[in-house]
Amino acid sequence: MKFNVISAIFRRNFYSYFSNPTGYVFICVFVLLNSFAAFWPHEFFNANLANLDQLNRYLPYILLVFIPAITMSIWAEERRQGTDELLLTIPAGDFDVVLGKYLAAVAIYTVALLFSLICNLAVLNFLGRPDVGLFLGTYAGYWMVGVAMLAIGMVASFLTGNLTVGFVLGALFNAPLAFAAKADVIFPAEMALAVKRWSLEEQFRDFGRGVLSLSNVAYFILIVAVMLYLSMVLIGRRHWQGGRDGTSLGGHYLARTLALVLIAGGLIYVFDQYDLRADVTSERLSSLSAQTRKLIRELDPKRPVRIDAYISPDVPEAYVQTRLDLVSTLREFDSLGGNSVVLRIHDTLPLSGEAEQAEQQYGIAARGIMSRSRGAISREQLYLGVAFASGLDKVVVPFFDRGIPVEYELVRSICTVAQQERKKIGVLATEARLFGGFNQQTMSPMRNELLIEELEKQYEVVQVSSDAPITDEIDVLLAVQPSSLSPEQMEHFVEAVRKGMPTAIFEDPFPAMAGNVTPTSAPKRPPQMNMFSGNQPPMPKGDIGRLWEILGVDFMADKVVWQRYNPYPKLSGFVSDEWVFVDSSAGENEVFSQKQPISSKLQTLLFLFPGSISRLNASSLKFEALVQTGDLTGTVRFDEILTPTMFGTGGGLNDRRRQIPSREIYVLAAHVHGKLDSDNLPMSDALAQAPAEAPAADDEADGDAEIGAADDDDSDGKASKTDASDGEDDASDEGKEQADRDVNVVLVADIDVLYSDFFQLRAQGDDPDQEFNLNLDNVTFVLNALDVLAGDERFVEIRKRRPQHRTLVRIEERTKEARQEAHEKAEKFRKDFEEASEKEEQKFRDEIHRLQNLKNVDEITRVQRAAMAQQIGQRRRQAELDRLQKRLDRDVNRIERELALEVNGVQDGYKMWAVILPPIPPLLVGLAVFFNRRAREREGVSRARLR
């Protein structure tokens, strides 16, 4: 290989392309098409992501036009001008000629791509905060696609001497790899999936997610290697084609080319099985956590997990990030799992074959979603469901809501369907009913709390009764408001905790969301009366103080904690201080324990009217605070929170409740664990051990008496003493066995944190149409606590991950301003409407009052006039109210229309400049080259010969 020859051919072809303004015209067109595909589609603004997802769809088709324009002249132009013979006679090999021309084509394409990169990066930087790693990874993929298509197009150029034919052949040869991504239009489903894997779009997909994959790079490089070899074969036809007397070696070279193709295919398969991948995104959007990678690698290849994902190809803005995370994570699982994971992603449209298959086989149906696009509100049928199967086991996630942690949900489903046996969670039967059952008042079935449905995805969940000693073999016991247990039930529950059963205890001095649950310090309500039983006294409650003694904690049972901190100012008119928000800004202290996996990396929790927990100094158990408040705090008695009524305290929030400030830091959740020794036992338990020690003392006394009575029998005396000593040891061991217990309890001073409202709030996620979104970690906190107690911490860290996508910040700000102005105008109109309605109402009341107090008129006439005026006034008032309502609706609709037009105008303005500006730099360079070339051509030419 002669580098000087390669360099000379490279410079000749490269300079000739850029010395002609025509080359810059092609580059301008290329940059224009790129900008048009990236920023012109409505999906770019609907998705609200600062990336090039729209360009990723269209780039292979853009290159089908641009690449042949570069390659058509590589060899066809040499033949047309007759310079091919000159090149073939220089002292260089065929490979030097082919390589020099190919590198020149790659350099030309690289320059065009750099223009596109600079222009598109400038546009994205203006509109938002793009992820630079994702952006550069995407352009690395564009470059790899381009160099592969250049190699294919160069083969077409070696087949003809006509530029037009070279262009057409270059497009035709590249078309199969570009259109293979649409194979499902022609081929059956299984065959289409196999064909798609070899398409340019499929191999580029990882680059578009910011992932550099060895298998994908190998795919493009091996295409280049095969095509360059084929180009060498074609340029060397003069050697093997044979002549009048020669023998053609075409079959030989064909066999060699096919063998090279098979070798390349085999290498691609090997690289695909043993892939190396690197996530280059700044936000690590396509990275799996270390725990996830470990779990996927531990899957048994002999029992593979088959994943069928039914996903809509186009989704509304609110679900764009969810779809992106879902597809990206599934593809990472597929790459990492090897033979253990079999993935099939079906682009699913309503009324399609995939939709029918999803519903019939897995019960995955479309969900109707209200979406807004350019001011128009529409209802779309959306598919975001995934089914997992391994052997006869099956797990189905019918729909991924916006707030569902995608990686966690997927890896948990995979591990659940792959494992042979699930751990068991027991839910203690208390007044807080988490299981549905049947509502006798409404005569309808009640749904389980969403916590139960969530736990059933991972555990075997059973209901546990404490009417008898709890002997069930369960991994963790969930006790919600155990203070509502009867004395006998409380005894059995406390015994289970003392024996070391891992237990999550949620106790609340004022249950806000569970209507029929008795507060900790309140007596039980009497049973409902009926015609047979009459009035019945309330059922007695067990003494939960024994539980606090064993745990060595003090539970504030009759007071509720409040805190003056609200991270959501727009909620200030709807929440009270007893809504305790806990996040890192709530105080200077560490509100979340970072040493405990249950609470580390949490961001925001909301406790509704919680109590507090504190450690007793006499306790030897380890007390670790998981969640605690800041210091802008105080307490209020639980029985002063609601306004008193004639039936008790069932009114609304009491404005006159006495909030006593304390400025203390209150512990809202704690982990209590360790050995339970005699110092921790309640007095009743300590006394229970005394009878076990008395017989040992009596035996020892009896032994001493025998020694004193029988001095002549020393051996018998020694024997008696030995027996007494053994009795002491046995009693001591028995007492120690009863006293030393392993206690493992997570105690939370609020039961509202685990109710369905927080699960629904998590599923809702961030809604772009809402003024604010509550991002709470209540669900994560509750599930983490149960996982840690159950000894299943596989998903604890995965559950806390929060991938952050870069958005179009400038568009968001402009849109937010427009929406705020529209909201203020609408509120002003509504206020005017209410004032006008009140005036009409007051006029009506004044008129009735005037008629009722007329003088010099008899009573009957006054009543008749008042009744008639009331009828006429009501009709007039209603007519006026209808008129005002119509005007309000008209004004609100006008505001909505103006808002939509303003938002569309903002988008269209940015869209126009994003498309017009990028082609300008290469155009200016082309004009400079043109005028410079004209000036150099005119040098030394007489003025008379110039036109």
Side-chain angles (χ1 to χ4, degrees):
M1 189 164 57
K2 298 182 179 180
F3 291 101
N4 59 333
V5 175
I6 295 174
S7 176
I9 296 175
F10 169 82
R11 291 197 304 272
R12 176 176 176 270
N13 283 264
F14 183 76
Y15 291 154
S16 65
Y17 189 89
F18 286 103
S19 63
N20 191 332
T22 306
Y24 293 95
V25 172
F26 276 105
I27 292 177
C28 287
V29 172
F30 176 72
V31 174
L32 177 64
L33 290 176
N34 280 354
S35 301
F36 191 88
F39 308 119
W40 191 264
H42 298 320
E43 290 80 7
F44 173 72
F45 291 101
N46 289 340
N48 190 30
L49 294 176
N51 59 24
L52 299 174
D53 279 352
Q54 310 310 317
L55 178 56
N56 295 347
R57 296 184 180 185
Y58 300 108
L59 184 78
Y61 311 113
I62 295 174
L63 293 182
L64 276 180
V65 177
F66 183 66
I67 293 298
I70 298 176
T71 60
M72 66 181 181
S73 61
I74 284 182
W75 195 250
E77 184 69 10
E78 302 285 356
R79 285 188 174 182
R80 189 179 68 83
Q81 295 180 356
T83 55
D84 56 331
E85 293 295 336
L86 178 62
L87 280 175
L88 295 176
T89 56
I90 62 175
D94 294 343
F95 180 71
D96 298 332
V97 176
V98 170
L99 186 59
K101 286 188 166 293
Y102 175 71
L103 292 178
V106 170
I108 294 168
Y109 173 69
T110 303
V111 170
L113 203 62
L114 284 175
F115 274 111
S116 173
L117 182 151
I118 294 171
C119 296
N120 287 345
L121 182 60
V123 171
L124 288 179
N125 267 322
F126 178 77
L127 295 177
R129 297 185 306 108
D131 188 317
V132 177
L134 174 62
F135 184 84
L136 295 179
T138 301
Y139 263 89
Y142 293 164
W143 188 80
M144 296 300 297
V145 172
V147 297
M149 295 181 73
L150 284 170
I152 297 173
M154 193 167 68
V155 171
S157 183
F158 277 107
L159 291 174
T160 180
N162 186 287
L163 292 179
T164 304
V165 175
F167 179 89
V168 173
L169 289 179
L172 288 176
F173 288 178
N174 279 295
L177 291 179
F179 288 103
K182 309 298 181 183
D184 49 0
V185 178
I186 303 174
F187 300 106
E190 295 296 333
M191 185 180 297
L193 288 174
V195 173
K196 281 184 177 182
R197 293 184 68 89
W198 296 92
S199 67
L200 292 174
E201 181 179 328
E202 190 72 20
Q203 297 295 328
F204 164 79
R205 199 181 301 275
D206 283 342
F207 290 102
R209 296 187 294 109
V211 176
L212 303 184
S213 168
L214 177 61
S215 62
N216 295 332
V217 172
Y219 169 85
F220 293 112
I221 295 299
L222 289 172
I223 286 179
V224 172
V226 172
M227 292 299 113
L228 289 183
Y229 177 78
L230 188 55
S231 297
M232 287 178 54
V233 172
L234 293 175
I235 200 176
R237 280 180 295 181
R238 64 190 186 279
H239 299 304
W240 56 262
Q241 195 172 23
R244 184 176 304 170
D245 301 324
T247 302
S248 174
L249 298 177
H252 170 75
Y253 280 100
L254 177 61
R256 291 175 64 175
T257 303
L258 291 177
L260 184 60
V261 170
L262 292 176
I263 293 173
L267 288 175
I268 293 173
Y269 178 79
V270 171
F271 285 126
D272 188 58
Q273 295 299 310
Y274 303 96
D275 199 7
L276 296 178
R277 306 166 69 81
D279 182 0
V280 297
T281 61
S282 303
E283 299 289 349
R284 313 300 294 170
L285 294 174
S286 297
S287 294
L288 300 177
S289 66
Q291 181 65 15
T292 298
R293 300 175 70 86
K294 178 177 179 292
L295 292 173
I296 296 299
R297 288 195 182 102
E298 290 176 351
L299 294 176
D300 186 2
K302 297 179 180 178
R303 197 170 184 265
V305 177
R306 188 177 70 255
I307 305 175
D308 285 284
Y310 297 89
I311 302 174
S312 297
D314 296 303
V315 298
E317 175 188 352
Y319 287 88
V320 168
Q321 295 185 16
T322 302
R323 183 188 185 280
L324 188 63
D325 290 338
L326 181 57
V327 174
S328 177
T329 308
L330 284 172
R331 295 192 180 280
E332 286 299 307
F333 285 168
D334 184 38
S335 174
L336 183 64
N339 296 328
S340 301
V341 176
V342 180
L343 172 65
R344 290 185 296 184
I345 297 179
H346 308 273
D347 288 339
T348 308
L349 297 172
L351 305 180
S352 64
E354 290 81 3
E356 182 179 5
Q357 179 186 5
E359 188 162 4
Q360 289 183 354
Q361 292 188 7
Y362 303 108
I364 297 175
R367 177 176 292 188
I369 301 296
M370 301 300 296
S371 65
R372 182 192 298 268
S373 177
R374 297 184 64 81
I377 299 177
S378 61
R379 185 176 181 85
E380 299 185 28
Q381 297 297 313
L382 193 61
Y383 285 90
L384 284 175
V386 184
F388 308 83
S390 180
L392 298 178
D393 295 328
K394 182 170 64 175
V395 172
V396 177
V397 182
F399 192 83
F400 277 80
D401 284 294
R402 287 188 298 266
I404 299 298
V406 172
E407 181 183 345
Y408 158 67
E409 193 74 22
L410 290 176
V411 73
R412 182 184 62 177
S413 299
I414 290 175
C415 293
T416 300
V417 79
Q419 70 186 22
Q420 301 296 322
E421 185 177 355
R422 301 187 185 187
K423 290 196 172 187
K424 184 183 292 186
I425 284 184
V427 180
L428 187 68
T430 64
E431 276 188 354
R433 298 185 59 179
L434 302 183
F435 289 91
F438 188 80
N439 190 333
Q440 295 183 354
Q441 295 180 351
T442 61
M443 301 302 292
S444 61
M446 295 187 301
R447 183 178 176 180
N448 292 344
E449 286 291 331
L450 293 181
L451 171 63
I452 300 299
E453 297 183 9
E454 184 74 16
L455 292 175
E456 287 175 341
K457 297 177 182 178
Q458 180 180 347
Y459 296 97
E460 179 185 353
V461 183
V462 297
Q463 194 162 9
V464 175
S465 173
S466 57
D467 292 336
I470 302 175
T471 58
D472 297 355
E473 294 184 0
I474 56 178
D475 296 286
V476 59
L477 181 63
L478 172 60
V480 181
Q481 205 70 0
S483 63
S484 62
L485 297 174
S486 67
E488 183 181 5
Q489 291 173 334
M490 181 67 72
E491 189 72 26
H492 297 151
F493 171 62
V494 171
E495 184 66 20
V497 174
R498 191 176 64 179
K499 286 183 176 180
M501 179 175 290
T503 309
I505 301 175
F506 291 79
E507 182 65 35
D508 199 334
F510 186 84
M513 304 180 74
N516 296 322
V517 177
T518 305
T520 304
S521 60
K524 271 193 172 184
R525 299 180 180 88
Q528 293 183 352
M529 291 188 302
N530 57 58
M531 60 184 299
F532 301 105
S533 61
N535 293 329
Q536 294 183 5
M539 298 292 292
K541 292 174 64 174
D543 181 15
I544 199 170
R546 294 189 62 247
L547 177 63
W548 306 146
E549 279 188 78
I550 290 176
L551 298 179
V553 300
D554 180 26
F555 186 90
M556 189 167 62
D558 58 349
K559 295 179 182 178
V560 167
V561 172
W562 57 264
Q563 177 178 242
R564 288 202 171 92
Y565 172 72
N566 180 9
Y568 299 95
K570 292 187 177 181
L571 276 178
S572 57
F574 304 94
V575 303
S576 66
D577 292 337
E578 289 79 13
W579 287 41
V580 178
F581 289 93
V582 179
D583 68 13
S584 56
S585 302
E588 297 181 357
N589 57 302
E590 184 181 72
V591 294
F592 296 118
S593 173
Q594 299 303 313
K595 298 178 181 179
Q596 282 278 331
I598 298 175
S599 54
S600 65
K601 301 180 184 178
L602 295 181
Q603 294 184 355
T604 307
L605 292 180
L606 173 58
F607 293 82
L608 302 178
F609 303 90
S612 72
I613 314 156
S614 58
R615 179 180 182 273
L616 296 176
N617 294 329
S619 174
S620 63
L621 293 177
K622 190 170 185 180
F623 181 94
E624 295 179 295
L626 299 175
V627 183
Q628 52 190 358
T629 66
D631 56 3
L632 297 176
T633 58
T635 60
V636 59
R637 283 192 55 84
F638 83 99
D639 52 2
E640 295 182 3
I641 293 175
L642 299 181
T643 303
T645 65
M646 61 182 299
F647 300 104
T649 57
L653 190 64
N654 185 8
D655 294 333
R656 303 178 64 182
R657 64 192 184 278
R658 292 173 296 175
Q659 293 182 328
I660 302 173
S662 64
R663 299 193 65 86
E664 293 184 16
I665 295 175
Y666 293 97
V667 176
L668 305 181
H671 188 192
V672 181
H673 57 101
K675 291 287 185 182
L676 183 63
D677 54 35
S678 57
D679 293 334
N680 296 99
L681 289 176
M683 184 63 67
S684 58
D685 295 324
L687 293 175
Q689 293 181 12
E693 298 175 357
D698 293 341
D699 291 344
E700 185 177 359
D702 292 341
D704 292 339
E706 289 179 8
I707 294 173
D711 295 337
D712 55 346
D713 193 355
D714 294 338
S715 60
D716 292 341
K718 290 180 181 179
S720 298
K721 188 174 181 179
T722 303
D723 293 340
S725 177
D726 292 341
E728 275 187 355
D729 294 339
D730 292 341
S732 176
D733 292 340
E734 183 179 355
K736 184 177 181 181
E737 183 181 355
Q738 291 180 354
D740 292 338
R741 311 293 189 192
D742 286 321
V743 172
N744 190 13
V745 171
V746 170
L747 178 58
V748 182
D750 183 32
I751 70 171
D752 302 309
V753 295
L754 51 74
Y755 271 83
S756 295
D757 301 68
F758 291 106
F759 285 83
Q760 294 170 349
L761 196 62
R762 180 191 70 153
Q764 176 182 322
D766 289 341
D767 188 349
D769 292 329
Q770 297 291 334
E771 292 187 42
F772 63 91
N773 293 281
L774 285 174
N775 297 311
L776 303 175
D777 292 329
N778 287 44
V779 175
T780 300
F781 170 69
V782 173
L783 297 180
N784 284 353
L786 293 172
D787 280 358
V788 170
L789 289 172
D792 185 6
E793 299 185 26
R794 295 175 296 170
F795 312 120
V796 171
E797 293 302 320
I798 302 172
R799 197 180 285 126
K800 301 173 187 176
R801 294 198 69 199
R802 298 176 177 86
Q804 297 294 325
H805 294 268
R806 304 289 181 90
T807 58
L808 305 176
V809 179
R810 187 177 294 270
I811 300 294
E812 287 178 338
E813 291 175 351
R814 291 288 302 276
T815 303
K816 185 177 180 180
E817 292 173 1
R819 290 187 185 277
Q820 184 63 30
E821 292 178 4
H823 176 73
E824 291 174 356
K825 290 180 181 178
E827 287 299 316
K828 182 179 181 300
F829 285 132
R830 290 190 178 94
K831 185 177 180 180
D832 293 342
F833 169 76
E834 292 175 359
E835 291 177 354
S837 300
E838 182 62 29
K839 287 181 181 179
E840 288 296 322
E841 186 68 27
Q842 187 61 42
K843 285 170 58 178
F844 174 71
R845 289 195 296 267
D846 292 344
E847 180 65 18
I848 297 299
H849 183 267
R850 186 184 68 80
L851 292 174
Q852 289 176 345
N853 291 278
L854 283 176
K855 297 179 179 179
N856 303 323
V857 178
D858 60 273
E859 182 68 22
I860 296 176
T861 304
R862 189 164 55 246
V863 171
Q864 289 176 346
R865 288 184 179 181
M868 186 179 299
Q870 186 172 6
Q871 293 179 359
I872 296 173
Q874 283 180 344
R875 287 197 296 268
R876 184 185 300 115
R877 182 175 64 89
Q878 189 60 45
E880 182 64 19
L881 291 178
D882 291 342
R883 186 184 67 81
L884 292 174
Q885 184 66 48
K886 289 181 180 179
R887 190 177 71 178
L888 173 64
D889 295 339
R890 184 175 64 252
D891 290 338
V892 171
N893 290 334
R894 178 172 57 81
I895 291 172
E896 290 291 335
R897 186 168 58 253
E898 291 175 354
L899 172 62
L901 291 174
E902 184 173 356
V903 171
N904 293 341
V906 170
Q907 293 181 359
D908 291 340
Y910 285 127
K911 182 187 301 183
M912 181 183 66
W913 291 113
V915 172
I916 291 176
L917 293 178
I920 293 179
L923 180 62
L924 293 178
V925 174
L927 291 175
V929 170
F930 173 74
F931 288 114
N932 180 60
R933 182 177 178 181
R934 289 292 303 271
R936 293 178 63 182
E937 289 176 351
R938 296 162 69 95
E939 291 180 0
V941 180
S942 63
R943 188 178 298 274
R945 296 180 60 187
L946 295 175
R947 295 181 181 180

